[in-house]
């Protein structure tokens, strides 16, 4: 740029200088300084006792800027006031400062630029800086170069100021940097690549097309982005045109450079002289402060041109003391080099201050040690405290003997008690008063978001350990460490691990040694890929000479490469799955339609190029994992499942292909490795209900070797798979049963044929199965020990049970009669109440005595099993209750029974039990199912009250049938309720369920029996129990584990659907009740 | 005079030069067989000197004594004849040339790496790989490359030094499009300050990602200010440590030195894993004391590249940086700019022609000196001073020769007009022929009054009387219907 036409240039310059404008984006748009910035904007944080904004003004004033627009978003009033009070607004300076308050919706610099555009305040080329700049670069020179370039090249719209520094530099952020690809001649920026510290970037990608026009380019990874841009007028309008530009570098620069349409160019100004740095994070806060103290920013130094207007005396060793004798230094205190001490500060005896900045009016008491500490105004550091590499907000009081380790941020007005011990990188802020919190909530939503974090912090303040950290009498709250919950939503740069690279810190140690960081990380990563290629080399090699015997070694070495491939795949898949989960989360939270969600998933699948099965797995997994586990409440659990499946189940078939068999398999395998294993049966039932899978599908699945877990290694996983398969077996047996029973029950068909009636019946039957199982489990807990005692006791209990059981064997449908009656009363929702009861019981310690009762209760269940109702209660509180629940129940039930008796309905139903009355009840039941579903739903919602009544009534019925066993009665009502809900078409199922038990082998009593084995028990539970009576039930119960109980729940889910059917069957069951008694007796005898 | 020889004897064993001579498929049809006689690429003349002369002279000038010359088996006889001939013996008295042939028929695709591996047992010391077609400019002595290697190998453990030259923008009008088949220049990332080759863009990578070039971040961290040049060409001159051969043995898949091995060799210097894997091979522990200290205090030493050197005066202090490894495993690079003298590899027809023209413009009126040859040139022939005529070439009267090279033993009739041509030995050009911008292979016969413009003929080709060709490749095989012969050009270009 030789001054050819100096005269004309000068003229130009003078012309344009008149309007040299600058825009300061005085908001950081991030939270790196929290909690220091809760309560004031970052640009008002003091750096060397002058606010950042002042430093920025000073930098701009040096450049001859005459009109400054300050765009502020958070705490605009404070910024305004600060500007008004600062020396810059004195008219004598000739600097025109206009503060622009932008809306809270301004989340990015891009938004701010759009705001600027709409305001139309920019009239010519302008300087754009962030509000955290400390610089002595001659920006006017940059402006001149920029204008010069503009004269010949109208497309050069922006000039970025960069400073060569080297890769590692204390003002170069480790967490966020960039690679600039420049034309060596013209400094035109040809490519901009943003680099995040963590996760480490592996490769910089340079588009080859730029080589066509620029054969010699420079790739520079050594530049500090000073954050000073000289922009042309059209820059704001470009932001306006591209509404998605957020970040000036990553979006705008990158966008402009990669755009084929814009044809604009961006240049860099490589500042060879001068200092410029942004205080973008606490780490750079530290290094910029050091640079100021070390006079790199000259002429912007504390003893001259201090932007805050303070005057300091510069003493050898780069110590700065406020002039005017206001600083009181004790005779024995030590002030090391690179320190700045503000006016009015007292430093007591033996205090040791190294490389620290201390604000005005601070008090440093005796024996305090400060190393690399930044203390804002009016702070008070108690005697004997030791603080290192930290920032202490204004008006903070640190108690005596406190220790603050490196990297801590202490917010304004915090009071730390005596002997507080802040660990590394703690952040504390003042606990707010309630009213204050509300106030700030109202103030603006921006603060709200920060409040969420604050509240989170507040929420966890109760623990003692916190007090240990902040000391007695502190008003502080400790902010949570570690990544935030909503980490995923954050920009990559702002994520926790990356932010760790930006914290104030001992410069030489490693900032985050545990992070697989940058360079090491990159290398290892690249190594991984390297190894791959190397290994593939070897492979190739091996192939080439495979004829020779030497190839073996090569092959063996090549396997790692293969593993890496699979690892890659796995990683890709897990990423995909995470995406699906997120997508579903969104869909869920925002209530998308299934179609929309499906579209989104399809897109994801395309993007990730995963096989359809993976999508299905992901969807099924997401749905399953999203089902809430309701401990101890089978009904609620079932409700949860049916809600979830009903809402999202259809999605499974909309992801691009319908393959129900695979769906089941996927579900099975997912459940097998999930904590929701016990829900498998129920979910499957729910799918069945929603017609997502058909009976044939279940059968087809069941027949597949994969379903049996063949080929799997013998692990718990395989076992779980097997368990699921057994649940399937049970279901299929139910199907079979249903079919057969349908055939058998041809007489009843009049009712049954109407699907609703059938289903309920089936449901009840299933429910019964479930209950039986549960009951058996209950027994199991207590059972083993008690066996001796139990038998005697049990025998009593069994007697009734056996009766029921005996009834069952004759025909599954018969037992249902009792339930049917109960159903009539529509007490289906009794489950809730029962559950409660059971829970209460659970509270009672599980003692042998308790177990005995439970055993008895189980037996009733067994007896009930034929009639189908009993399983329900157990299902509700499967694991918890089992043994203990039993004892309590009887009593309550008894009470209830008395009450129940009062209820006329119940009594009415009782008659139904008898064979004679069967027919009428059956009819009734069949009718009920139709209405029942809706009612059931409403009833369910109503809760326990209804259920209690129902139960009672049911109980009565049961008790009448078999008076000795009240529990059994209780259980029956539940079953009926369960069945009532799902209006599903499963008539046949219920029946089958009832019948299945018979077919199933008797459960093995051994205590070591695992869930898997129990399943058979469960399956058999209903059938066998009915036929075999109490013995089997006991045996099974002894071994049963809680998990089994939960699996049973799932069955119940099915059974619930079928309960209506039971009602239909109920006609027959009435007869059965009598029979069961007989059988029960026989069984008891056997056991004994 | 003995004392002049002694120092050169001491240095003899320092380097072994490996000169690779290939088939020169890119130069077809000039290198196609003349009947049964091969026309070895290495012996194609550039301004009437076999091109092999140039690299050999270059080697000799730098004090190299031992040359391992590798050529295809069919060429062995003619090359051997050339080596033992008077001309070469007189021009390279100090060279000990070990001629080795590789059998082409045995392995059809003989990559340069394979050659090197095959002859590795003959290489006992550090070595220089030189192609037979690199025509170095006088401004670029080999010693410049060698010295850089010597310094860096002892100072910081460099493992190789390469030579790249800037490709001048080709003059598109001078040669027809069909002649241009050579590889486009590759993109190279290098550190200008330390002269380090960092990354070579390989054809494989371009295939992988034609849009973007991926640079390892560890490279950019170590060399934060690197240059990416798209206009540099690999001279295929590599000075390597002997240990490089050991690594080459571990990489049996590599085929081409230029396209695969050298790019790979650049990676250990910044890739820690490769460093750990191959470092001990490349830079085995030895007891020799490092010359580092001495070199650091050498006044001539300009300071060796430290990647972390602060680059501007007014910058705040740097953080402490971990010391670099003792051996950098660097690959040095010497970049020869176009402004410093014309350089090229005569591996394409275009560069071959350009080289001839370049040398013509450098020489002054190169007619044969001996009277016998002189007498064959008719005094009425007009030969401009930027032309060259070989020995015992007969030039008829009123023949006009401009900007052309005429080989030996040619017969040029009357009223012939030759402009901007390269005419190899033993050509017969009948009366009244007009040649413009042609390259005629040996023994080409041009009929009466035929006109050729920008044509190339295979050795032994016969152009009939009055025939007219423009922009043609004239091959013997199918001379009835001359076509471009692309079939033979599939083999590797860098198979020198």
């Amino acid at each position: 740029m030789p001054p050819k036409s100096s005269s004309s240039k000068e003229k130009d310059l003078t012309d344009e200088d008149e309007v040299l404008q600058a825009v300061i984006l005085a908001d950081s748009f991030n939270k790196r300084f929290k909690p220091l910035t809760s309560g004031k904007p970052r640009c008002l944080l003091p750096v060397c006792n002058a606010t950042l904004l002042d430093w920025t003004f000073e930098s701009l004033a040096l450049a001859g800027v005459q009109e400054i627009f300050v765009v502020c978003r958070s705490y605009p009033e404070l910024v305004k006031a600060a500007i008004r009070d600062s020396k810059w607004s004195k008219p004598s300076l000739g600097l025109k400062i206009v503060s622009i308050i932008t809306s809270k919706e301004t989340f990015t610099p891009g938004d701010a630029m759009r705001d600027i555009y709409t305001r139309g305040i920019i009239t010519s080329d302008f300087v754009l800086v962030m509000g955290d700049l400390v610089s002595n670069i001659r920006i006017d020179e940059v402006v001149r170069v920029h204008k010069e370039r503009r004269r010949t090249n109208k497309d050069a719209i922006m000039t970025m100021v960069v400073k060569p520094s080297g890769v590692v530099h204390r003002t170069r952020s480790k967490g966020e940097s960039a690679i600039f690809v420049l034309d060596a001649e013209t400094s035109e920026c040809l490519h901009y690549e943003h680099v995040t510290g963590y996760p480490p970037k592996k490769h910089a990608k340079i588009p080859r097309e730029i080589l066509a026009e620029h054969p010699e380019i420079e790739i520079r990874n050594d530049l500090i982005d000073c954050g000073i841009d000289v922009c042309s007028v059209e820059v704001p309008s470009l932001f306006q045109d591209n509404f998605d530009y957020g970040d000036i570098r990553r979006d705008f620069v990158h966008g402009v450079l990669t755009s084929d349409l814009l044809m604009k160019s961006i240049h860099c100004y490589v500042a060879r002289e001068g200092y410029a740095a942004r205080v973008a994070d606490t780490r750079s806060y530290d290094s910029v402060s050091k640079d100021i103290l070390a006079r790199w920013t000259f002429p912007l130094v504390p003893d001259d041109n201090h932007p805050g207007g303070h005057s300091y005396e510069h003493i050898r060793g780069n110590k700065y003391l406020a002039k005017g004798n206001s600083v009181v230094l004790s005779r024995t205190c030590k002030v090391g080099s690179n320190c700045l001490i503000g006016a009015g500060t007292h430093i007591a005896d033996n205090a040791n201050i190294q490389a620290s900045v201390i604000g005005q009016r601070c008090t440093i008491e005796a024996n305090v040690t400060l190393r690399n500490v930044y203390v804002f105004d009016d702070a008070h550091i108690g005697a004997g405290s030791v603080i290192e590499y930290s920032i202490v907000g204004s008006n903070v009081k640190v108690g005596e003997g406190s220790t603050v380790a490196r990297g801590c941020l202490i917010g304004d007005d915090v009071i730390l008690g005596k002997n507080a011990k802040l660990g590394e990188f703690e952040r504390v802020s003042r606990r707010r008063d309630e009213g204050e919190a509300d106030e700030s909530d109202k103030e603006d939503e921006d603060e709200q978001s920060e409040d969420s974090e604050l509240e989170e912090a507040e929420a966890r303040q109760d623990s003692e350990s916190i007090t240990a950290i902040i000391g007695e009498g502190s008003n502080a709250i400790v902010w949570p460490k570690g990544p935030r919950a909503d980490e995923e939503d954050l920009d990559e740069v702002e994520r926790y691990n990356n932010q760790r690279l930006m914290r104030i810190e001992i410069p030489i140690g490693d900032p985050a040694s545990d992070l697989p960081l940058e360079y090491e990380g990159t290398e290892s990563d690249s190594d991984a890929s390297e190894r791959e290629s190397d290994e593939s080399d070897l492979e190739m090699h091996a192939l080439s000479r495979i004829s020779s015997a030497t190839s073996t070694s090569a092959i063996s070495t090549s396997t790692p490469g293969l593993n890496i491939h699979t690892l890659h795949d796995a990683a890709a898949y897990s990423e995909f799955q995470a995406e699906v989960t997120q997508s579903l989360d969104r869909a869920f939270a925002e209530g998308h339609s299934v179609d929309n969600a499906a579209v989104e998933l399809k897109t994801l699948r395309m993007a990730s190029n995963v096989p359809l099965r993976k999508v299905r797995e992901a969807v099924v997994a997401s749905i399953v994992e999203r089902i809430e586990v309701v401990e101890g409440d089978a009904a609620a659990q079932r409700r949860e499942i049916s809600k979830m499946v009903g809402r999202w189940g259809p999605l499974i078939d909309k992801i691009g292909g319908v393959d129900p068999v695979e769906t089941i398999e996927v579900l099975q395998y997912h459940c097998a490795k999930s904590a929701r294993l016990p829900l498998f049966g129920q979910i499957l039932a729910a799918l069945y209900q929603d017609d997502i899978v058909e009976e044939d599908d279940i059968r087809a699945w069941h027949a597949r070797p994969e379903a049996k877990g063949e080929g799997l290694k013998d692990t718990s996983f395989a076992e779980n798979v097997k368990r699921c398969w057994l649940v399937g077996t049970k279901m299929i047996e139910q199907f079979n049963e249903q079919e057969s029973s349908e055939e058998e029950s041809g007489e009843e068909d009049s009712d049954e044929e109407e699907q609703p009636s059938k289903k309920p019946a089936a449901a009840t039957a299933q429910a019964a199965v479930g209950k039986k199982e549960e009951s058996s489990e209950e027994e199991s807990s207590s059972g083993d020990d008690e066996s001796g005692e139990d038998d005697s006791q049990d025998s009593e209990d069994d007697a009734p049970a056996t009766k029921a059981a005996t009834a069952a064997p004759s025909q599954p449908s018969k037992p249902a009669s009792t339930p049917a009656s109960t159903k009539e009363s529509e007490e289906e929702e009794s489950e809730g109440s029962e559950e409660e009861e059971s829970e209460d019981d659970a509270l009672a310690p599980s003692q042998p005595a308790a177990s005995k009762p439970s055993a008895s209760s189980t037996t009733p269940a067994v007896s009930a099993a034929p009639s189908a109702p009993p399983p329900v209660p157990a299902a509700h509180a499967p694991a918890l209750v089992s043994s203990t629940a039993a004892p309590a129940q009887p009593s309550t039930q008894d009470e209830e029974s008395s009450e129940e008796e009062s209820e006329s309905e119940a009594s009415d139903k009782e008659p139904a039990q008898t064979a004679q009355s069967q027919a009428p009840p059956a009819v009734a039941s069949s009718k009920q199912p139709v209405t029942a579903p809706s009612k059931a739903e409403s009833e369910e919602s109503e809760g326990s009250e209804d259920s209690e009544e129902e139960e009672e009534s049911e109980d009565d019925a049961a008790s009448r049938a078999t008076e000795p066993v009240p529990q059994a009665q209780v259980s029956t009502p539940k079953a009926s309720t369960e069945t009532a809900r799902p209006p599903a078409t499963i008539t046949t199922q219920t029946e089958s369920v009832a019948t299945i038990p018979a077919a199933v082998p008797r459960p093995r009593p051994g205590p070591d029996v695992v869930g898997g084995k129990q399943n058979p028990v469960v399956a058999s539970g209903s059938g066998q129990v009915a036929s075999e009576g109490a013995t089997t039930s006991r045996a099974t119960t002894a071994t049963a584990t809680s998990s089994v109980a939960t699996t049973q729940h799932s069955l119940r889910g099915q059974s619930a659907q079928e309960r209506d059917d039971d009602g239909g069957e109920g006609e027959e069951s009435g007869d059965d009740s009598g029979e069961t008694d007989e059988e029960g007796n026989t069984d008891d005898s056997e056991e004994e | 005079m003995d004392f002049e020889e002694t120092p050169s004897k001491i240095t003899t064993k320092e380097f072994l030069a490996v000169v690779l001579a290939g088939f020169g498929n890119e130069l077809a049809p000039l290198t196609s067989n003349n009947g049964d006689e091969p026309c070895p690429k290495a012996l194609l003349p550039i301004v009437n000197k076999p091109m092999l002369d140039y690299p050999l002279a270059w080697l000799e000038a730098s004090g190299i004594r031992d040359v391992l010359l590798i050529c295809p088996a069919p060429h062995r006889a003619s090359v051997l004849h050339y080596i033992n001939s008077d001309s070469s013996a007189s021009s390279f008295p100090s060279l000990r040339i070990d001629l080795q042939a590789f059998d082409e028929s045995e392995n059809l695709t003989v990559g340069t790496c394979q050659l090197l591996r095959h002859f590795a047992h003959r290489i006992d010391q550090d070595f220089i790989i030189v192609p037979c077609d690199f025509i170095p400019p006088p401004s670029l002595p080999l010693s410049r490359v060698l010295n850089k290697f010597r310094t860096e190998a002892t100072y910081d453990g460099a493992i190789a030094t390469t030579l790249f030259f800037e490709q001048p923008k080709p003059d598109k009008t001078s040669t027809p499009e069909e002649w241009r088949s050579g590889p486009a220049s590759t993109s190279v990332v290098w550190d200008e300050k330390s002269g380090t080759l960092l990354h070579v863009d390989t054809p494989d990578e371009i295939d992988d990602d034609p849009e973007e070039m991926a640079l390892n971040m560890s490279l950019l961290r170590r060399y934060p200010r690197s240059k990416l040049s798209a206009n540099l060409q690999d001279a295929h001159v590599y000075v390597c440590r002997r240990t490089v051969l050991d690594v080459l043995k571990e990489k049996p898949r590599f085929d081409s030195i230029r396209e695969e091995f050298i790019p790979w060799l650049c990676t250990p210097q910044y890739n820690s894993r490769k460093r750990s894997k191959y470092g001990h091979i490349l830079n085995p522990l030895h007891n020799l004391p490092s010359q580092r200290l001495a070199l650091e205090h050498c006044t001539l030493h300009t300071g060796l590249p430290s990647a972390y050197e602060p680059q501007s005066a007014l910058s705040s202090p740097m953080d402490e940086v971990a010391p670099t490894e003792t051996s950098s495993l660097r690959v040095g690079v010497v970049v020869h700019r176009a402004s410093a003298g014309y350089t090229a590899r005569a591996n394409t027809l275009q560069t071959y022609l350009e080289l001839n023209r370049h040398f013509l413009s450098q020489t002054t009126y190169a007619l044969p000196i001996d009277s016998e040859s002189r007498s064959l040139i008719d005094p009425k022939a007009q030969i401009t001073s930027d032309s060259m005529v070989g020995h015992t070439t007969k030039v008829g009267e009123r023949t006009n020769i401009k900007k052309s090279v005429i080989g030996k033993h040619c017969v040029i009739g009357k009223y012939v007009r030759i402009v901007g041509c390269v005419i190899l030995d033993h050509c017969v050009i009948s009366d009244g022929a007009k040649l413009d911008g042609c390259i005629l292979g040996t023994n080409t016969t041009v009929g009466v009054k035929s006109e050729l413009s920008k044509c190339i003929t295979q050795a032994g080709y016969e152009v009939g009387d009055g025939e007219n060709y423009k922009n043609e490749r004239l091959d013997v095989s199918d001379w009835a219907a001359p076509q471009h012969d692309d079939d033979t050009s599939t083999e590797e270009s860098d198979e020198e």
Side-chain angles (χ1 to χ4, degrees), chain A residues 163-171 174 179 181 184 191 195-196 200-209 211 214-222 271-275 283 291 294 296 507-508 518-520 522-524 526-528 530-531 533-538 540-541, chain B residues 166 169 187 189-190 192 201-202 205-207 209-218 220-232 249-254 264 267 270-274 277-278 307-321 325 337:
Chain A
K163 177 117 190 81
S165 67
V167 190
V168 186
H169 191 274
R170 70 183 182 192
T171 56
K174 283 188 180 176
I179 293 168
V181 177
H191 179 67
V195 178
T196 314
K201 195 181 181 71
K202 292 181 201 168
H203 291 107
K205 305 248 181 186
I206 295 166
R208 294 183 201 275
E209 62 178 9
L211 289 169
H214 306 273
E216 293 258 328
I217 59 182
E218 273 193 309
I219 303 165
R220 305 202 59 166
N221 189 25
D222 63 338
R272 310 223 169 270
E273 296 187 345
Y275 180 90
R283 188 181 178 83
D291 288 344
W296 290 104
I508 293 181
E518 334 196 57
Y519 171 37
E520 296 310 324
T522 329
E523 292 214 327
S524 65
S526 71
D527 292 349
E530 240 327 297
R531 180 176 301 130
S533 66
D534 275 2
E535 238 62 277
S536 64
D537 288 356
L538 284 174
M540 296 288 291
H541 181 204
Chain B
E166 192 177 359
K169 287 270 186 285
S187 304
V189 180
W190 54 293
E192 192 170 29
D201 206 20
T202 63
E205 281 176 39
I206 296 176
D207 285 348
D209 188 353
E211 300 294 319
E212 293 176 322
M213 180 191 296
L215 291 183
N216 206 313
M217 281 302 290
S218 53
L220 293 176
R221 281 207 189 80
R222 191 168 285 246
Y223 296 96
R225 183 179 183 178
S226 49
K227 268 206 152 159
L228 171 56
S229 301
N231 56 355
L232 294 186
K249 277 183 186 162
E250 302 217 337
K251 290 281 178 184
R253 200 169 60 90
F254 285 153
W264 180 87
T267 53
Y270 53 81
N271 185 317
S272 63
R273 197 192 140 268
K274 283 186 176 167
K277 186 169 176 186
Y278 298 105
Y308 304 103
E309 212 168 291
Q311 303 202 348
S312 66
L314 253 182
S315 171
S316 60
M318 311 279 302
D319 292 344
E320 295 285 323
V321 167
E325 299 82 353
R337 292 290 179 185

Side-chain angles (χ1 to χ4, degrees), chain A residues 371-423:
Chain A
R371 272 191 293 269
N372 288 275
V373 178
Y374 300 89
V375 182
F376 297 173
D377 295 346
D378 300 308
H380 178 273
I381 313 288
S385 298
V386 177
I387 306 181
E388 289 185 318
Y389 292 96
S390 294
I391 302 178
V392 178
S394 59
N395 212 15
V396 167
K397 299 210 172 359
V398 178
E400 291 172 19
S402 298
T403 312
V404 178
R406 63 180 179 143
C408 290
L409 305 182
I410 302 177
D412 291 352
D413 303 322
V414 165
I415 297 173
L416 291 181
K418 271 188 185 180
N419 298 321
K421 287 205 184 327
L422 288 190

Side-chain angles (χ1 to χ4, degrees), chain A residues 136-330:
Chain A
N136 64 3
I137 283 182
R138 294 301 304 247
I139 301 176
D140 48 346
E141 173 67 13
V142 185
V143 174
R144 195 184 61 75
V145 171
H146 176 75
K147 289 188 170 170
E148 195 86 0
R149 189 181 295 124
R150 287 276 287 171
R151 210 167 289 159
T152 55
N153 179 5
K154 278 291 168 197
D155 291 331
I157 53 167
M158 186 161 122
T159 303
M160 303 183 280
V161 178
V162 293
K163 177 117 190 81
S165 67
V167 190
V168 186
H169 191 274
R170 70 183 182 192
T171 56
R172 191 171 194 258
S173 174
K174 283 188 180 176
E176 188 178 20
S177 56
I179 293 168
F180 292 87
V181 177
L182 306 180
D183 185 295
E185 297 280 307
T186 63
S187 286
E188 180 182 345
C189 185
L190 304 171
H191 179 67
Y192 176 87
E193 184 125 352
H194 186 259
V195 178
T196 314
Y198 187 91
K201 195 181 181 71
K202 292 181 201 168
H203 291 107
K205 305 248 181 186
I206 295 166
R208 294 183 201 275
E209 62 178 9
I210 61 177
L211 289 169
E213 283 188 39
H214 306 273
E216 293 258 328
I217 59 182
E218 273 193 309
I219 303 165
R220 305 202 59 166
N221 189 25
D222 63 338
L223 298 177
I224 293 178
D225 188 346
C226 304
I228 305 171
D229 302 328
V230 179
C231 303
S232 306
V233 196
E234 51 259 59
V235 168
S237 68
L238 280 174
F239 273 98
Q240 184 70 17
D241 295 343
N242 297 275
F243 58 87
D244 53 342
Y245 285 172
D247 189 87
I248 292 179
R249 291 289 182 268
R250 273 173 290 163
D251 296 329
F252 176 73
V253 171
H254 187 263
V256 168
L257 293 181
T258 53
S259 167
D260 295 332
L261 301 174
L262 279 179
M263 304 298 292
K264 303 286 185 196
S265 61
I266 293 175
H267 288 74
C268 280
Y269 177 90
V270 182
R272 310 223 169 270
E273 296 187 345
Y275 180 90
R278 284 185 56 195
V279 181
D281 46 46
T282 48
R283 188 181 178 83
S284 52
Y285 179 91
D286 178 41
S287 37
V288 168
S289 300
K290 292 279 188 317
D291 288 344
I292 293 171
L293 294 181
R295 307 178 78 78
W296 290 104
T297 55
F298 189 85
L300 301 185
V301 285
D303 55 320
D304 189 14
N305 289 317
H306 186 267
H310 306 175
S311 50
Y312 290 92
E313 184 186 357
H314 182 211
I315 307 171
R316 190 170 66 90
N318 286 336
K319 292 177 231 181
Y320 303 86
L321 291 186
K323 281 182 181 168
N325 289 329
S326 60
V327 177
V328 179
L329 295 181
S330 139

Side-chain angles (χ1 to χ4, degrees), chain A residues 3 18 123 141 304 307 363 492 511 513 544 597 639 725 810 826 853 934:
Chain A
E18 290 174 3
T123 54
E141 173 67 13
D304 189 14
T363 311
E492 202 173 46
S513 51
S544 68
R639 228 175 293 140
W725 183 75
S810 64
E826 299 172 0
S934 59

Side-chain angles (χ1 to χ4, degrees), chain B residues 380-394:
Chain B
K380 282 185 181 167
Q382 291 185 350
I383 301 175
T384 57
S385 64
D386 53 2
S387 294
M388 185 175 279
V389 177
H391 290 279
T392 64
T393 284
K394 188 180 174 217

